[in-house]
Amino acid sequence: MTETITEPPETLHDITLTVNGIPRPLRVPARRLLSDALRSELGLTGTHVGCEHGVCGSCTILIDGAPMRSCLMFAVSATDYRITTVEGLAEAADARPCSSGQRMNPVQQAFMECHGLQCGFCTPGFLTTITAYLDQNPAPTAEQAREAVSGNLCRCTGYQNIVKSVLRAAEIKAERRAEPHSTGGVDTRTESR
Amino acid sequence: MKPAPFVYHSPDSVGAAVDVLSQVGHDGKVLAGGQSLIPILNMRLASPAHLVDINRVAGLASIDITQNGEVRIGALVRHAELEASEAAYAANPLLRRALQNVAHPAIRNRGTTVGSIAHADAAGEMPAILAITRGVVETAGPAGPAFIEAADFFQGPLETSLAPDEMVVAVTFQPFPPGTGTAFSESARRHGDYALAGVATAVTVSDGVVESVHASFVSVTDVPAVLDLTPIFAGRSVDTMTWDDAIDPVRDFIDPQDDIHATAEYRRMLAAELTRRTLRTATATAVGRPGEAKRAGSTPSHEHPRTSRSVDR
Amino acid sequence: MTTRMFGAPIKRKEDPRLITGGGRYVDDLGREAWVAAFVRAPHAHARITGIDADDAVGLDGVIGIYTHEDLTGTIGERLPQLIPHPSLTHPVTTHPLVAHVVKHVGQPVVMVVATDRYVAEDACGRITVSYEQLPPVVGLQASREAKKLVHPDVPGNIAAHMIQSFGDVGAELATAPHTLHLDLEIERSASMPMEGRGVYAQWNAQEQHLTLWSSTQTTTGVRAAVAATLGLPLVKVDCIAPDVGGGFGVKIMHPYPEEVLIPWAARELNHDIKWTEDRREHFISSAHERAQLHEATIGFDDEGRLLGMDVKFWHDNGAYTPYGIITPIITSTQMLGPYKPRAYRCEFFSLYTNTVIVLPYRGAGRPQGVFVMERAMDAIADHLGLDRTIVRSRNFILPEEMPYAFGLLFQDGRPLTYDSGDFPASLTKLKALVGWDDFAEYRAEAEAEGRRVGLGIGCYVEGTGVGPYEGGHVVVEPSGRVNVATGLTTQGQGHQTAFAQIVADELGVPIDDVHVTTGDTRRMGYAVGTFASRAAVMSGSAVALAARNVRAKALRIAADALEVAETDLDIIDGVIQVKGAPATSIPLGMVSILSNPLRYSFDEASKAATQFTGNVDFDRPPVDPGQEPGLEGRDFYSPTQAAFANGMHAAIVETDPVTAEIKILRYCVIHDCGRMINPMIVEGQVHGGVAQGVGGALYERMAYDDAGQLLNASFMDFLMPYASEVPHVETDHLETPSPLNPLGVKGAGEAGCIPVSAVIASAIEDAEGFPITAMPISPVQLWELRRRHAAGEIPSLKTRHSNAERH
């Protein structure tokens, strides 16, 4: 029997990630990718992993409001940021309950109206990306909308209805901006992050 | 595909970072944006025993423009930040034009321009920009700071003059002389892919006559290198210029390789053709049509509508 | 709400859950499970000479390490040959873990189970497998030459050799006024869904029961295979497809080695085990498709009518043949498209290579067949100086000739007989949509600007809705909720909505009350699977029939309760009511209660069904003979043959005169899938298919080197299109209902991708003026072809679209 190599167990880091407004403590090795930490340690399985080399975009989340690939970041590097996943999009000030009762932000609502998803696996990455995009570019043309989503892969939809969803989401955002400040939508921006 | 284990360091100052690197740099990697490094780690193509995360190091995140138009960026300036900087664009429009071609916005939000330059992939856009702007790399190491010119910094494919205990803290892009128009164009199979070939050009014009012409390349040379086309074009009038005479010098200068996406011969043709087209665009911005130089992302009106992926910005 | 559901673009019921992060894909399950990873072979052809796992055993977190030697019983034998065929004379399948000889890069050799995936991969990195390398056979040329063999007992590397024919092709070619020969090639690609494969197994030792979730297209197939392999009774195995992130064919294969290994390990270790592949694993172990080489000789007359077509082709089936020869059979039968050549002969050889296995990927052999036939049609038109649509029209099977029997056997083992379709009408619509007759003028303008543009066309027929059967089970609960179960699976096609639309219409209930479950053997144990564009036809028909049974029973019980005739009743919004006197009514939920005579009530409403309430007919038992308690119905749909959908596409492309970059300016689709359950879903399927077709026409190919290494096993180098690469798709529809099923539907899943390579080749050819004979085509390849054409090595086309005869 040859000798068994035993290694010192990997160092675990106690960190806190602020995800969707909530500080979440977790204990992970340094090499734990942010995508895996969100999914496994924190149980937020809405963010999906398609390639782990940054190309497909399924893992895209928002870091301080900017879209980034969670498969290309370590959890231990992400402790200083406000992280938003697909599960947190409905907390936006312009989110409203949809016809079946779930709260959705304008981009989510638009995807449902425009058949912007089929299997749904790539969808969270598109939703975060487009949510951030429309905050910076509220009135894109069709061509601009197509370019905005040209960094995420989808194998089901052929993208046509995703482009439509971007344009429809811009419309919905404008509609909701024009609403008198109302009943119904809780403005969560005042909660501390 | 998960990375192999590593010891994680997160220094909060340049001095602390250099200390760590002098101990572990030989078997360690600096982690800044990670957009090039982490895919490599995920695929276990590399498994350094130590990772030095510099994202918490103070003082590396600023963009500074000097009076003479030098653009100095710290090691933690993200591609997206430099791309968005109006001050940087005003000082040197070529930066934004090139940055718009780096991967996709989500990658640019995290990846750093300095990191991309330190990675020294000749298929990267920003090393070519550092070269054509005769940029300077600032490093920190146990022996103190150092300033290295682009030509000395890049030593081979993915190889720089950096020692294992050194890190880049900033790069400075030098301004072009007054009257210089610049342009950037690359052709990739898909939006955001590595270019099959790309080129940055700078044309300095005075009184309607060409003073100097330079080009640097993406994906068709081993190291970022600048082709001086001044001898061929100096003195010629821009109004009658066709730029066809750039084709052969470019073909002779570059050293493209075969890979599964394109043959060396195709890349040679493509780089030369892109240079010819891009020189025209650069000249248009030099001649200073009102608003032309200021409007990023617009195609000059006299250009043919582009097919596929040759993009001028 | 009396809106008709069938045919309406209803928003999907599954969307709110998926959009808010509530999807449950296989990797989202089993948080406490142990995780597996595999040491995969790095060589394409090699004998294993030793496995040393000593350095991995002691690693913290490693639970178990297994090789072929550890697999005792049926699991140690070769995996099943799923679809036997008399022409498949030399089938070979693999062991779950390689027994002795590796036959392709990526085969699993060692399985590691650990507490998490990171540790499992660490352990894999410490396991040393020694190999004696053997010469690999890569590519169809090398396999055909057979200087080396993939399997020692398979001469010529030939797994199967098959000939199908009708008419006397030799005689027709000998006497045809014109003959042409075409050599054509399609490269290997793959389904490449965004979610890879995965398996999660739960072993209940007390019950000796296995529940497994697999990202599969056939839960009944996996269940049967796993039960057989692990020696478990069927009743002790359940398989469920959770949310699945795309399939496109690659997930119809079963059992993949991991699908038996993971449940086996769960039982061995008495612990939940999970495995999800990473992207590199997917590239080197999940099925590919498309690679074929064709040699076609065609004979035609002065009018362009195809008199004889003689095709010989070689199909690359990879290292093993678990799925048999379905793909090349589809190529050889669907090559005929909407045309009626007088004689046809198609001979194929299915060849082994030391590469990943091959089985149907969306289109399933049709893209290759269509490529050949459509290139042939364009070649005929060019040769005779005729318009390409004229030639096609002259060869169409006409509506009055339906049903049209070819005398060949299709992939379902049944006669190839088209049931429906109006090809002339489809073509008319297509020409209008793309502006076929205006193109010459458009091209003249473009050329004046120095631009190079071309117009292309491609037509196809698709046999959809193949059997053997699917089933539907509809149950109305006392609350009025309607549960629908069908056994085939879902990977994004909107079945939960489409099937709910059917049942809502059949039963007269609000669609919100209808809940559909697919792909769960606990809910429907008889099923085949989702592939071949069959779900709408098969399960759609089955749930419709089951719902009709429920409706009939409901009306009978209601008629009894209301003391009216059944024919006086209608069901509207879930309430059975007398036509014209809606006050006389009974809710469907109450009928459900009444249908189940109770001794014990469990709530207020159910008291109505107990023994001492209501009128009792003492001469009738509580449950009539031949009846069952409950308001439910089951039925199955099993057709005599496939239902034939069809379509025609056209595209305008632009090529850069210098760099040869290719851009699709317009893409038009005419599509006939019979009646559409949900037009929004159908259109989405078409868009997605076109995108995959564009990928296959311009970007996607598996780049194997001569050593059998896959050079582009990542998304960086295997180029799937982003939105920027996919054109806007303009669609128009034709509906020629199928007479074969109760709904008149035909399949739509593969329509978008079938003709795209042919259409793009046709358009590029038209732009460039020389033939395009291989796909995909990249700018580099087009540039090389231009050089060869300029050097006289490639002939010019005789005809350009602008000067082709139109009469």
Side-chain angles (χ1 to χ4, degrees):
Chain A
M1 170 75 187
T2 52
E3 63 172 279
T4 312
I5 294 185
T6 47
E7 303 257 319
E10 222 176 329
T11 306
L12 297 179
H13 297 256
D14 285 305
I15 61 171
T16 300
L17 293 178
T18 304
V19 187
N20 300 328
I22 300 170
R24 306 282 303 265
L26 58 159
R27 169 174 281 202
V28 288
R31 60 171 167 160
R32 180 75 82 241
L33 298 170
L34 179 58
S35 44
D36 290 331
L38 290 170
R39 290 175 49 73
S40 301
E41 274 81 4
L42 298 186
L44 294 167
T45 55
T47 301
H48 300 144
V49 174
C51 73
E52 286 175 325
H53 37 279
V55 179
C56 78
S58 295
C59 70
T60 307
I61 50 157
L62 301 180
I63 297 277
D64 290 341
M68 294 188 198
R69 309 288 200 228
S70 61
C71 74
L72 296 188
M73 209 184 296
F74 296 113
V76 293
S77 296
T79 58
D80 304 323
Y81 306 126
R82 277 182 303 119
I83 300 168
T84 309
T85 67
V86 61
E87 291 93 340
L89 293 179
E91 286 162 36
D94 58 0
R96 300 282 181 274
C98 72
S99 52
S100 55
Q102 282 99 326
R103 248 180 108 76
M104 294 190 182
N105 82 359
V107 182
Q108 292 168 308
Q109 177 72 30
F111 264 67
M112 194 168 67
E113 290 179 16
C114 299
H115 190 35
L117 68 152
Q118 291 182 24
C119 80
F121 195 78
C122 71
T123 308
F126 276 97
L127 294 174
T128 51
T129 301
I130 297 166
T131 297
Y133 174 77
L134 288 175
D135 281 343
Q136 303 295 318
N137 306 275
T141 62
E143 211 179 292
Q144 289 167 333
R146 186 173 283 267
E147 168 144 13
V149 299
S150 290
N152 292 59
L153 285 174
C154 172
R155 201 59 166 163
C156 290
T157 66
Y159 305 106
Q160 193 137 318
N161 287 345
I162 292 179
V163 173
K164 261 168 119 172
S165 300
V166 176
L167 299 172
R168 178 63 189 135
E171 274 175 12
I172 296 172
K173 279 181 81 76
E175 282 163 22
R176 291 184 185 177
R177 262 197 305 274
E179 277 167 17
H181 193 75
S182 68
T183 62
V186 173
D187 187 332
T188 55
R189 280 173 302 176
T190 53
E191 285 175 26
S192 63
R193 298 210 180 271
Chain B
M1 294 155 355
K2 312 297 181 187
F6 52 79
V7 177
Y8 177 72
H9 308 268
S10 184
D12 56 12
S13 69
V14 173
V18 169
D19 282 341
V20 173
L21 283 173
S22 18
Q23 288 160 48
V24 306
H26 57 282
D27 194 9
K29 288 288 243 174
V30 169
L31 172 67
Q35 304 300 281
S36 303
L37 178 62
I38 297 182
I40 292 171
L41 299 183
N42 285 351
M43 295 193 224
R44 297 202 184 204
L45 294 173
S47 36
H50 297 265
L51 217 63
V52 183
D53 184 344
I54 63 166
N55 285 282
R56 297 185 179 89
V57 171
L60 295 182
S62 60
I63 302 173
D64 298 302
I65 323 287
T66 66
Q67 281 219 326
N68 19 329
E70 292 166 337
V71 177
R72 178 183 180 278
I73 58 170
L76 291 180
V77 170
R78 314 286 167 185
H79 291 301
E81 288 164 351
L82 183 57
E83 182 187 351
S85 163
E86 290 303 329
Y89 181 67
N92 199 331
L94 183 60
L95 299 179
R96 176 181 292 175
R97 290 175 183 142
L99 283 162
Q100 284 169 336
N101 290 272
V102 173
H104 300 286
I107 303 292
R108 300 203 289 273
N109 284 337
R110 183 72 181 166
T112 63
T113 303
V114 168
S116 176
I117 285 166
H119 187 58
D121 189 345
E125 290 81 359
M126 298 318 287
I129 301 306
L130 192 77
I132 199 174
T133 60
R134 288 159 297 112
V136 176
V137 175
E138 279 175 61
T139 64
F147 293 82
I148 308 156
E149 311 224 328
D152 299 322
F153 183 70
F154 299 115
Q155 302 197 333
L158 300 171
E159 240 188 270
T160 67
S161 65
L162 273 184
D165 55 4
E166 275 183 292
M167 64 176 277
V168 180
V169 294
V171 304
T172 300
F173 302 96
Q174 311 257 40
F176 290 104
T180 305
T182 58
F184 183 89
S185 176
E186 70 176 38
S187 173
R189 290 298 332 271
R190 296 176 304 181
H191 186 268
D193 277 350
Y194 282 117
L196 299 187
V199 62
T201 55
V203 178
T204 309
V205 176
S206 175
D207 288 331
V209 163
V210 174
E211 272 193 4
S212 66
V213 182
H214 294 87
S216 69
F217 299 93
V218 179
S219 293
V220 291
T221 56
D222 263 359
V223 289
V226 183
L227 171 61
D228 186 354
L229 291 164
T230 307
I232 298 176
F233 293 107
R236 291 213 227 162
S237 158
V238 299
D239 291 327
T240 54
M241 188 68 79
T242 59
W243 298 109
D244 293 349
D245 290 339
I247 297 278
D248 285 339
V250 170
R251 291 180 62 90
D252 292 335
F253 180 75
I254 60 179
D255 181 28
Q257 305 295 311
D258 287 329
D259 71 13
I260 60 166
H261 299 302
T263 58
E265 273 315 290
Y266 179 82
R267 294 185 134 109
R268 199 178 298 274
M269 174 283 298
L270 186 63
E273 176 61 16
L274 288 177
T275 306
R276 191 183 67 81
R277 295 181 187 180
T278 313
L279 285 169
R280 196 163 55 208
T281 313
T283 311
T285 67
V287 173
R289 285 169 205 228
E292 203 79 67
K294 296 292 177 207
R295 223 171 41 236
S298 64
T299 308
S301 55
H302 67 280
E303 287 292 300
H304 290 310
R306 284 282 170 255
T307 59
S308 194
R309 298 264 59 83
S310 300
V311 174
D312 276 339
R313 296 195 200 265
Chain C
M1 194 180 58
T2 51
T3 332
R4 182 139 171 75
M5 292 286 114
F6 191 106
I10 306 290
K11 304 289 170 279
R12 297 196 331 167
K13 290 167 65 81
E14 45 270 75
D15 282 356
R17 190 172 59 81
L18 296 175
I19 282 173
T20 53
R24 304 278 290 155
Y25 303 85
V26 72
D27 193 57
D28 301 338
L29 310 174
R31 283 182 77 183
E32 306 303 315
W34 290 336
V35 178
F38 292 88
V39 176
R40 294 185 181 273
H43 305 297
H45 197 190
R47 175 178 306 281
I48 297 172
T49 54
I51 302 178
D52 179 359
D54 289 348
D55 287 353
V57 169
L59 209 52
D60 191 36
V62 172
I63 312 289
I65 300 177
Y66 306 94
T67 68
H68 169 77
E69 311 295 314
D70 299 306
L71 306 177
T72 51
T74 314
I75 196 171
E77 297 167 15
R78 290 185 188 267
L79 293 172
Q81 177 59 48
L82 293 174
I83 310 178
H85 191 286
S87 297
L88 180 60
T89 50
H90 293 78
V92 183
T93 62
T94 182
H95 296 90
L97 292 172
V98 177
H100 305 295
V101 183
V102 168
K103 298 290 183 185
H104 71 77
V105 169
Q107 281 203 273
V109 177
V110 184
M111 175 168 64
V112 172
V113 177
T115 49
D116 77 39
R117 176 75 184 203
Y118 288 68
V119 173
E121 289 191 17
D122 292 344
C124 288
R126 287 160 180 261
I127 294 170
T128 312
V129 183
S130 11
Y131 299 94
E132 175 206 330
Q133 289 194 54
L134 302 169
V137 178
V138 183
L140 282 166
Q141 306 281 18
S143 182
R144 212 162 50 168
E145 283 163 27
K147 290 192 190 128
K148 311 195 182 95
L149 295 181
V150 174
H151 301 289
D153 49 354
V154 180
N157 291 315
I158 299 172
H161 176 217
M162 183 170 179
I163 301 173
Q164 291 216 63
S165 67
F166 58 81
D168 185 343
V169 93
E172 293 292 347
L173 290 178
T175 55
H178 310 276
T179 57
L180 286 174
H181 184 85
L182 297 99
D183 287 308
L184 301 164
E185 185 179 340
I186 308 273
E187 293 228 38
R188 181 184 274 232
S189 182
S191 302
M192 212 53 64
M194 295 316 299
E195 184 206 20
R197 296 183 296 116
V199 186
Y200 166 49
Q202 276 185 348
W203 173 248
N204 182 326
Q206 254 190 314
E207 306 283 332
Q208 291 283 294
H209 184 100
L210 175 72
T211 309
L212 79 124
W213 286 260
S214 178
S215 193
T216 179
Q217 292 172 229
T218 173
T219 45
T220 45
V222 171
R223 175 203 198 200
V226 170
T229 308
L230 299 191
L232 289 168
L234 265 184
V235 73
K236 292 294 193 178
V237 180
D238 279 308
C239 181
I240 303 126
D243 288 319
V244 174
F248 313 112
V250 67
K251 295 175 180 174
I252 191 59
M253 168 60 199
H254 65 282
Y256 275 100
E258 300 86 355
E259 279 173 321
V260 296
L261 289 167
I262 300 306
W264 177 85
R267 186 174 64 175
E268 282 293 299
L269 297 169
N270 194 16
H271 197 281
D272 292 358
I273 312 269
K274 185 168 87 166
W275 167 82
T276 49
E277 64 182 354
D278 63 37
R279 188 51 58 180
R280 179 172 163 75
E281 283 183 282
H282 186 82
F283 271 99
I284 60 176
S285 71
S286 296
H288 299 167
E289 203 234 280
R290 295 282 194 264
Q292 289 180 357
L293 282 176
H294 285 254
E295 290 172 7
T297 306
I298 54 175
F300 50 100
D301 65 17
D302 295 331
E303 301 298 305
R305 272 184 289 261
L306 191 57
L307 303 172
M309 184 164 185
D310 190 357
V311 179
K312 202 157 154 182
F313 75 90
W314 292 263
H315 171 82
D316 183 344
N317 62 229
Y320 301 104
T321 54
Y323 211 82
I325 48 173
I326 290 298
T327 303
I329 289 176
I330 294 175
T331 303
S332 55
T333 47
Q334 302 266 253
M335 184 179 297
L336 291 158
Y339 311 115
K340 50 186 185 199
R342 279 225 286 261
Y344 174 76
R345 181 181 184 280
C346 188
E347 176 178 9
F348 74 79
F349 298 87
S350 190
L351 301 180
Y352 286 108
T353 56
N354 287 108
T355 60
V356 173
I357 61 172
V358 167
L359 47 103
Y361 155 38
R362 198 176 202 173
R366 280 175 205 88
Q368 298 92 311
V370 167
F371 187 69
V372 174
M373 179 59 91
E374 293 302 293
R375 307 299 38 255
M377 286 291 154
D378 278 0
I380 292 173
D382 177 56
H383 189 82
L384 297 174
L386 294 173
D387 179 277
R388 293 169 291 172
T389 59
I390 302 279
V391 168
R392 286 169 167 84
S393 300
R394 290 180 180 164
N395 283 284
F396 279 159
I397 296 163
L398 299 172
E400 52 266 31
E401 293 175 286
M402 298 289 186
Y404 191 89
F406 284 95
L408 303 178
L409 279 186
F410 187 44
Q411 64 136 333
D412 54 358
R414 294 182 162 259
L416 183 73
T417 302
Y418 294 171
D419 60 308
S420 57
D422 187 343
F423 307 131
S426 289
L427 184 60
T428 303
K429 278 203 170 214
L430 180 67
K431 291 176 73 171
L433 184 59
V434 77
W436 184 269
D437 294 325
D438 303 324
F439 183 71
E441 195 184 314
Y442 171 81
R443 186 182 3 239
E445 283 171 21
E447 283 177 352
E449 291 171 20
R451 297 167 56 208
R452 194 178 290 196
V453 297
L455 172 64
I457 183 171
C459 309
Y460 71 91
V461 165
E462 184 193 355
T464 69
V466 297
Y469 67 85
E470 284 302 333
H473 184 202
V474 177
V475 180
V476 181
E477 290 193 13
S479 62
R481 176 188 162 115
V482 181
N483 299 324
V484 179
T486 186
L488 55 58
T489 56
T490 307
Q491 305 86 40
Q493 301 91 332
H495 294 154
Q496 277 157 18
T497 304
F499 299 156
Q501 287 174 252
I502 292 171
V503 172
D505 264 2
E506 294 284 345
L507 276 187
V509 298
I511 194 171
D512 287 344
D513 290 347
V514 182
H515 304 269
V516 176
T517 302
T518 63
D520 186 335
T521 60
R522 301 171 301 191
R523 298 287 305 279
M524 170 59 80
Y526 288 100
V528 181
T530 300
F531 55 92
S533 308
R534 68 193 293 275
V537 174
M538 303 300 294
S539 284
S541 297
V543 304
L545 294 172
R548 289 176 194 179
N549 291 348
V550 170
R551 183 190 179 88
K553 184 169 186 180
L555 292 182
R556 201 179 59 248
I557 294 171
D560 234 12
L562 296 175
E563 295 175 331
V564 297
E566 285 175 44
T567 47
D568 291 337
L569 293 172
D570 208 349
I571 314 181
I572 298 173
D573 281 349
V575 178
I576 305 179
Q577 53 195 254
V578 174
K579 295 176 193 172
T584 311
S585 66
I586 178 171
L588 206 56
M590 179 54 71
V591 172
S592 167
I593 290 170
L594 294 178
S595 71
N596 183 17
L598 295 174
R599 185 170 169 86
Y600 311 111
S601 80
F602 48 85
D603 63 13
E604 210 43 50
S606 61
K607 285 180 180 173
T610 54
Q611 297 157 147
F612 299 107
T613 58
N615 300 322
V616 180
D617 180 344
F618 295 137
D619 292 323
R620 278 169 73 187
V623 180
D624 283 324
Q627 287 303 310
E628 295 178 5
L631 187 55
E632 59 183 277
R634 244 158 79 113
D635 213 335
F636 293 84
Y637 174 69
S638 182
T640 51
Q641 58 156 88
F644 285 84
N646 69 86
M648 304 187 182
H649 298 192
I652 298 176
V653 305
E654 177 164 359
T655 58
D656 186 300
V658 178
T659 66
E661 288 160 297
I662 302 160
K663 185 175 169 75
I664 304 172
L665 299 178
R666 287 186 64 205
Y667 199 91
C668 298
V669 171
I670 297 297
H671 176 249
D672 176 3
C673 64
R675 299 179 63 221
M676 292 184 279
I677 302 165
N678 185 322
M680 180 185 80
I681 289 179
V682 171
E683 224 179 53
Q685 291 294 306
V686 170
H687 294 165
V690 169
Q692 281 179 307
V694 168
L698 297 175
Y699 297 98
E700 298 169 16
R701 64 180 187 99
M702 291 293 181
Y704 272 101
D705 70 10
D706 291 335
Q709 295 295 329
L710 185 57
L711 299 174
N712 59 344
S714 83
F715 282 164
M716 291 174 177
D717 293 316
F718 178 79
L719 307 176
M720 286 150 62
Y722 290 105
S724 37
E725 286 72 55
V726 178
H728 180 82
V729 178
E730 304 165 54
T731 52
D732 199 354
H733 294 279
L734 205 69
E735 281 190 18
T736 62
S738 172
L740 297 175
N741 62 71
L743 303 174
V745 301
K746 299 189 276 204
E750 291 163 276
C753 81
I754 292 170
V756 187
S757 282
V759 174
I760 300 298
S762 177
I764 294 175
E765 208 173 81
D766 186 55
E768 300 287 324
F770 54 79
I772 303 292
T773 59
M775 297 299 270
I777 185 163
S778 66
V780 186
Q781 288 164 316
L782 180 58
W783 186 73
E784 301 279 346
L785 289 174
R786 282 180 179 170
R787 299 212 297 178
R788 290 178 54 206
H789 176 237
E793 293 169 32
I794 298 175
S796 298
L797 295 184
K798 291 160 62 173
T799 314
R800 301 296 299 291
H801 173 88
S802 325
N803 59 350
E805 284 175 45
R806 305 296 181 83
H807 49 270

